[in-house]
């Protein structure tokens, strides 16, 4: 097993190379924040889609979603409803979940929306699921997306000793508790995407969740989920 993991190191490094080094927590970053007259808010809220909060994976930051955001903008989604959030990826996913809860509340307050959509990549699936299951997030999230998320663990997490990586390992106490009982609680619409060519989150069967819409893409590397136009179109259609 250790020899196999060592052979995976170059592939893992390459797959994560597009991600920036971990950054300190920064405020949520909408594409832009135009001023609005208070009287204009109710009508716009009724007409606009849910705000989207993007949750990146390990060793990354909110900029990893730039291609997704650009495509949403090109499809006419309001820029002030697209939030690229950055958090410290070395900490426990439970800590990140609490920070995500506060972030969602800020977005709902800023936009006047009743719910958000969460679009996650890789490890970002885990704190967002913890938020949904344990922190009341299922009442505030309409649609949830996991792109290549290690929902049942991945052996490549053994290459990292940070708290978040230990929690990503198959059979960890964190994952055992997270996956106990209903894997897709509440009225939230859950969807996952995975690929057999993903060398970071492997086997790809780890991504699928009971009760979710689970999609298997023929062949995509781990970071390619963030730029593939077909995946984007399916995610866009899922969240509505």
């Amino acid at each position: 097993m250790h020899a196999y993991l060592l052979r995976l190191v170059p592939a893992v490094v390459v797959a994560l190379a597009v991600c920036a080094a971990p950054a300190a927590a920064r405020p949520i970053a909408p594409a832009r924040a135009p001023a609005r007259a208070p009287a204009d808010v109710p009508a716009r809220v009724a007409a606009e889609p849910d705000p989207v909060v993007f949750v990146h994976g390990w060793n990354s930051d909110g900029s990893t979603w730039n291609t997704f955001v650009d495509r949403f903008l090109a499809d006419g989604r309001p820029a002030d409803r697209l939030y690229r959030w950055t958090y410290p990826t070395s900490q426990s996913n439970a800590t990140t979940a609490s920070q995500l809860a506060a972030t969602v509340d800020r977005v709902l307050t800023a936009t006047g929306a009743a719910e958000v959509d969460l679009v996650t990549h890789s490890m970002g699936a885990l704190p967002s699921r913890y938020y949904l299951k344990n922190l009341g997030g299922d009442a505030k999230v309409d649609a949830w997306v996991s792109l290549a998320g290690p929902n049942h663990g991945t052996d490549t997490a053994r290459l990292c000793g940070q708290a978040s990586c230990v929690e990503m390992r198959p059979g960890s106490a964190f994952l055992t508790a997270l996956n106990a009982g209903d894997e897709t609680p509440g009225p939230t619409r859950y969807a996952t995407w995975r690929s057999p060519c993903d060398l970071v989150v492997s086997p790809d069967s780890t991504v699928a969740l009971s009760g979710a819409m689970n999609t298997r893409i023929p062949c995509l590397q781990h970071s390619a989920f963030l730029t593939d136009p077909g995946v984007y179109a399916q995610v866009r259609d899922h969240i509505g």
Side-chain angles (χ1 to χ4, degrees), residues 186-223:
T188 301
R189 297 179 292 117
Y190 294 80
T192 75
W193 278 262
R194 68 191 193 276
S195 170
C197 297
D198 186 346
L199 299 180
V200 176
V201 174
S202 179
D204 66 290
S205 58
T206 188
V207 179
L209 291 173
S210 177
M213 181 189 78
N214 298 302
T215 300
R216 194 170 193 248
I217 303 299
C219 192
L220 278 182
Q221 294 293 333
H222 190 65
S223 296

Side-chain angles (χ1 to χ4, degrees), residues 93-115:
N93 287 289
T95 300
T96 301
S98 295
Q99 295 170 349
L100 176 59
T103 296
V104 169
D105 286 346
R106 289 198 299 271
V107 170
L108 293 177
T109 298
T111 61
E115 295 177 307

Side-chain angles (χ1 to χ4, degrees), residues 10 23 25 28 43 72 147 152 162 180 195 211 214-215 229:
I28 48 179
F72 271 120
L147 302 178
H152 297 96
Q162 296 174 348
S195 170
N214 298 302
T215 300

Side-chain angles (χ1 to χ4, degrees), residues 121-200:
H121 179 244
S122 194
M123 189 184 75
L126 303 187
S128 60
R129 287 183 60 207
Y130 188 99
Y131 165 58
L132 288 165
K133 181 172 184 174
N134 300 309
L135 303 178
D138 60 320
K140 300 178 181 180
V141 177
D142 175 31
W144 174 87
V145 167
S146 169
L147 302 178
N151 289 307
H152 297 96
T154 177
D155 278 331
T156 57
R158 301 185 194 280
L159 301 172
C160 164
Q162 296 174 348
S164 57
C165 296
V166 172
E167 292 172 349
M168 277 195 288
R169 297 172 185 174
S172 71
F174 178 87
L175 286 177
T176 298
L178 185 63
N179 292 318
D182 189 354
E183 293 189 338
T184 52
T188 301
R189 297 179 292 117
Y190 294 80
T192 75
W193 278 262
R194 68 191 193 276
S195 170
C197 297
D198 186 346
L199 299 180
V200 176

Side-chain angles (χ1 to χ4, degrees), residues 28-34 69-70 73 77-84:
I28 48 179
R32 60 177 173 80
V69 168
D70 287 345
L73 292 172
R77 190 168 292 256
D80 58 351
R81 296 234 159 183
L82 300 169
Y83 289 83
R84 289 164 285 196

